mmCIF file of all heavy atoms in Angstrom:
data_model
loop_
_atom_site.group_PDB
_atom_site.id
_atom_site.type_symbol
_atom_site.label_atom_id
_atom_site.label_comp_id
_atom_site.label_asym_id
_atom_site.label_seq_id
_atom_site.Cartn_x
_atom_site.Cartn_y
_atom_site.Cartn_z
ATOM 1 N N ASP A 67 30.770 -4.453 -38.907
ATOM 2 C CA ASP A 67 32.074 -5.084 -38.692
ATOM 3 C C ASP A 67 33.125 -4.067 -38.305
ATOM 4 O O ASP A 67 34.150 -4.422 -37.716
ATOM 5 C CB ASP A 67 32.493 -5.851 -39.926
ATOM 6 C CG ASP A 67 31.564 -6.975 -40.272
ATOM 7 O OD1 ASP A 67 31.406 -7.906 -39.432
ATOM 8 O OD2 ASP A 67 30.925 -6.926 -41.338
ATOM 9 N N VAL A 68 32.924 -2.805 -38.703
ATOM 10 C CA VAL A 68 33.857 -1.723 -38.353
ATOM 11 C C VAL A 68 33.044 -0.403 -38.363
ATOM 12 O O VAL A 68 32.143 -0.239 -39.151
ATOM 13 C CB VAL A 68 35.055 -1.662 -39.341
ATOM 14 C CG1 VAL A 68 34.568 -1.337 -40.769
ATOM 15 C CG2 VAL A 68 36.079 -0.647 -38.918
ATOM 16 N N ASP A 91 31.533 -4.009 -29.229
ATOM 17 C CA ASP A 91 32.951 -4.307 -29.279
ATOM 18 C C ASP A 91 33.465 -4.171 -30.691
ATOM 19 O O ASP A 91 34.439 -4.746 -31.072
ATOM 20 C CB ASP A 91 33.164 -5.741 -28.767
ATOM 21 C CG ASP A 91 34.634 -6.066 -28.594
ATOM 22 O OD1 ASP A 91 35.429 -5.196 -28.180
ATOM 23 O OD2 ASP A 91 35.033 -7.233 -28.928
ATOM 24 N N THR A 92 32.806 -3.369 -31.471
ATOM 25 C CA THR A 92 33.117 -3.195 -32.885
ATOM 26 C C THR A 92 34.458 -2.436 -33.031
ATOM 27 O O THR A 92 34.648 -1.401 -32.391
ATOM 28 C CB THR A 92 32.035 -2.405 -33.646
ATOM 29 O OG1 THR A 92 30.789 -2.999 -33.350
ATOM 30 C CG2 THR A 92 32.282 -2.388 -35.124
ATOM 31 N N PRO A 93 35.414 -2.931 -33.845
ATOM 32 C CA PRO A 93 36.627 -2.153 -34.091
ATOM 33 C C PRO A 93 36.345 -0.756 -34.714
ATOM 34 O O PRO A 93 35.360 -0.576 -35.428
ATOM 35 C CB PRO A 93 37.426 -3.033 -35.071
ATOM 36 C CG PRO A 93 36.853 -4.379 -34.911
ATOM 37 C CD PRO A 93 35.384 -4.181 -34.599
ATOM 38 N N ILE A 94 37.204 0.184 -34.367
ATOM 39 C CA ILE A 94 37.062 1.568 -34.812
ATOM 40 C C ILE A 94 38.198 1.922 -35.767
ATOM 41 O O ILE A 94 39.372 1.659 -35.474
ATOM 42 C CB ILE A 94 37.016 2.540 -33.613
ATOM 43 C CG1 ILE A 94 35.896 2.212 -32.675
ATOM 44 C CG2 ILE A 94 36.885 3.958 -34.121
ATOM 45 C CD1 ILE A 94 35.879 3.048 -31.399
ATOM 46 N N ILE A 122 43.111 1.555 -42.682
ATOM 47 C CA ILE A 122 41.986 0.868 -42.033
ATOM 48 C C ILE A 122 41.644 -0.387 -42.729
ATOM 49 O O ILE A 122 41.437 -1.445 -42.108
ATOM 50 C CB ILE A 122 40.764 1.795 -41.959
ATOM 51 C CG1 ILE A 122 41.085 3.023 -41.050
ATOM 52 C CG2 ILE A 122 39.540 1.060 -41.397
ATOM 53 C CD1 ILE A 122 39.979 4.097 -41.086
ATOM 54 N N GLU A 124 43.548 -2.275 -44.567
ATOM 55 C CA GLU A 124 44.622 -3.288 -44.495
ATOM 56 C C GLU A 124 45.054 -3.570 -43.059
ATOM 57 O O GLU A 124 45.821 -4.504 -42.843
ATOM 58 C CB GLU A 124 45.818 -2.763 -45.264
ATOM 59 C CG GLU A 124 45.549 -2.545 -46.749
ATOM 60 C CD GLU A 124 46.733 -1.962 -47.492
ATOM 61 O OE1 GLU A 124 47.719 -1.544 -46.813
ATOM 62 O OE2 GLU A 124 46.660 -1.940 -48.746
ATOM 63 N N GLY A 125 44.607 -2.779 -42.081
ATOM 64 C CA GLY A 125 45.086 -2.878 -40.716
ATOM 65 C C GLY A 125 44.420 -3.939 -39.891
ATOM 66 O O GLY A 125 43.554 -4.703 -40.335
ATOM 67 N N VAL A 126 44.827 -3.980 -38.602
ATOM 68 C CA VAL A 126 44.279 -4.952 -37.650
ATOM 69 C C VAL A 126 43.876 -4.176 -36.370
ATOM 70 O O VAL A 126 44.507 -3.143 -36.045
ATOM 71 C CB VAL A 126 45.270 -6.045 -37.321
ATOM 72 C CG1 VAL A 126 45.558 -6.898 -38.547
ATOM 73 C CG2 VAL A 126 46.584 -5.470 -36.749
ATOM 74 N N PRO A 127 42.907 -4.676 -35.629
ATOM 75 C CA PRO A 127 42.514 -3.963 -34.398
ATOM 76 C C PRO A 127 43.625 -4.095 -33.323
ATOM 77 O O PRO A 127 44.153 -5.148 -33.077
ATOM 78 C CB PRO A 127 41.249 -4.700 -33.981
ATOM 79 C CG PRO A 127 40.740 -5.435 -35.170
ATOM 80 C CD PRO A 127 42.013 -5.785 -35.936
ATOM 81 N N LYS A 128 43.874 -2.981 -32.669
ATOM 82 C CA LYS A 128 44.833 -2.929 -31.546
ATOM 83 C C LYS A 128 44.131 -2.360 -30.318
ATOM 84 O O LYS A 128 43.373 -1.412 -30.424
ATOM 85 C CB LYS A 128 46.063 -2.036 -31.860
ATOM 86 C CG LYS A 128 46.825 -2.405 -33.163
ATOM 87 C CD LYS A 128 47.606 -3.688 -32.994
ATOM 88 C CE LYS A 128 48.380 -3.997 -34.207
ATOM 89 N NZ LYS A 128 49.564 -3.132 -34.426
ATOM 90 N N ASN A 129 44.381 -2.942 -29.182
ATOM 91 C CA ASN A 129 43.776 -2.464 -27.928
ATOM 92 C C ASN A 129 44.284 -1.102 -27.545
ATOM 93 O O ASN A 129 45.466 -0.816 -27.714
ATOM 94 C CB ASN A 129 44.032 -3.422 -26.766
ATOM 95 C CG ASN A 129 43.306 -4.745 -26.927
ATOM 96 O OD1 ASN A 129 42.276 -4.859 -27.600
ATOM 97 N ND2 ASN A 129 43.823 -5.816 -26.307
ATOM 98 N N LEU A 130 43.392 -0.239 -27.066
ATOM 99 C CA LEU A 130 43.716 1.119 -26.707
ATOM 100 C C LEU A 130 42.982 1.547 -25.442
ATOM 101 O O LEU A 130 41.762 1.319 -25.327
ATOM 102 C CB LEU A 130 43.362 2.069 -27.871
ATOM 103 C CG LEU A 130 43.677 3.580 -27.650
ATOM 104 C CD1 LEU A 130 45.131 3.843 -27.667
ATOM 105 C CD2 LEU A 130 42.970 4.398 -28.734
ATOM 106 N N ILE A 299 38.829 -0.009 -26.124
ATOM 107 C CA ILE A 299 38.388 -0.139 -27.508
ATOM 108 C C ILE A 299 39.455 -0.806 -28.356
ATOM 109 O O ILE A 299 40.598 -1.013 -27.887
ATOM 110 C CB ILE A 299 38.120 1.282 -28.130
ATOM 111 C CG1 ILE A 299 39.419 2.075 -28.254
ATOM 112 C CG2 ILE A 299 37.031 2.007 -27.357
ATOM 113 C CD1 ILE A 299 39.261 3.362 -29.034
ATOM 114 N N ARG A 300 39.051 -1.193 -29.577
ATOM 115 C CA ARG A 300 39.994 -1.770 -30.513
ATOM 116 C C ARG A 300 40.091 -0.817 -31.690
ATOM 117 O O ARG A 300 39.088 -0.639 -32.399
ATOM 118 C CB ARG A 300 39.519 -3.168 -30.962
ATOM 119 C CG ARG A 300 39.539 -4.169 -29.830
ATOM 120 C CD ARG A 300 39.198 -5.585 -30.328
ATOM 121 N NE ARG A 300 37.821 -5.656 -30.832
ATOM 122 C CZ ARG A 300 37.401 -6.481 -31.761
ATOM 123 N NH1 ARG A 300 38.273 -7.247 -32.418
ATOM 124 N NH2 ARG A 300 36.161 -6.472 -32.134
ATOM 125 N N LEU A 301 41.248 -0.233 -31.857
ATOM 126 C CA LEU A 301 41.442 0.747 -32.920
ATOM 127 C C LEU A 301 42.243 0.099 -34.049
ATOM 128 O O LEU A 301 43.284 -0.557 -33.814
ATOM 129 C CB LEU A 301 42.202 1.934 -32.403
ATOM 130 C CG LEU A 301 42.452 3.116 -33.385
ATOM 131 C CD1 LEU A 301 41.128 3.804 -33.706
ATOM 132 C CD2 LEU A 301 43.455 4.109 -32.790
ATOM 133 N N ILE A 302 41.781 0.257 -35.314
ATOM 134 C CA ILE A 302 42.464 -0.366 -36.429
ATOM 135 C C ILE A 302 43.662 0.469 -36.836
ATOM 136 O O ILE A 302 43.564 1.627 -37.178
ATOM 137 C CB ILE A 302 41.479 -0.536 -37.600
ATOM 138 C CG1 ILE A 302 40.303 -1.429 -37.188
ATOM 139 C CG2 ILE A 302 42.210 -1.166 -38.802
ATOM 140 C CD1 ILE A 302 39.286 -1.640 -38.254
ATOM 141 N N LEU A 303 44.810 -0.224 -36.787
ATOM 142 C CA LEU A 303 46.092 0.384 -37.219
ATOM 143 C C LEU A 303 46.895 -0.581 -38.065
ATOM 144 O O LEU A 303 46.543 -1.750 -38.088
ATOM 145 C CB LEU A 303 46.921 0.733 -35.944
ATOM 146 C CG LEU A 303 46.337 1.846 -35.012
ATOM 147 C CD1 LEU A 303 47.125 1.873 -33.679
ATOM 148 C CD2 LEU A 303 46.346 3.180 -35.678
ATOM 149 N N PRO A 304 47.908 -0.100 -38.756
ATOM 150 C CA PRO A 304 48.747 -1.047 -39.508
ATOM 151 C C PRO A 304 49.296 -2.144 -38.626
ATOM 152 O O PRO A 304 49.584 -1.908 -37.452
ATOM 153 C CB PRO A 304 49.887 -0.136 -40.062
ATOM 154 C CG PRO A 304 49.208 1.190 -40.216
ATOM 155 C CD PRO A 304 48.278 1.321 -39.019
ATOM 156 N N GLU A 305 49.459 -3.333 -39.167
ATOM 157 C CA GLU A 305 49.836 -4.526 -38.369
ATOM 158 C C GLU A 305 51.136 -4.300 -37.598
ATOM 159 O O GLU A 305 51.307 -4.810 -36.488
ATOM 160 C CB GLU A 305 49.928 -5.720 -39.254
ATOM 161 C CG GLU A 305 50.061 -7.019 -38.452
ATOM 162 C CD GLU A 305 49.843 -8.258 -39.331
ATOM 163 O OE1 GLU A 305 49.697 -8.092 -40.553
ATOM 164 O OE2 GLU A 305 49.856 -9.360 -38.795
ATOM 165 N N ILE A 309 51.084 0.473 -30.278
ATOM 166 C CA ILE A 309 50.564 1.573 -29.546
ATOM 167 C C ILE A 309 51.420 1.864 -28.306
ATOM 168 O O ILE A 309 51.563 2.978 -27.850
ATOM 169 C CB ILE A 309 49.096 1.290 -29.080
ATOM 170 C CG1 ILE A 309 48.200 1.389 -30.335
ATOM 171 C CG2 ILE A 309 48.628 2.272 -28.025
ATOM 172 C CD1 ILE A 309 46.774 1.069 -30.056
#
Side-chain angles (χ1 to χ4, degrees):
D67 297 297
V68 63
D91 189 37
T92 309
I94 300 175
I122 295 172
E124 298 175 351
V126 296
K128 304 288 183 74
N129 290 336
L130 179 71
I299 66 170
R300 294 185 295 151
L301 183 69
I302 299 177
L303 295 169
E305 189 169 4
I309 288 177

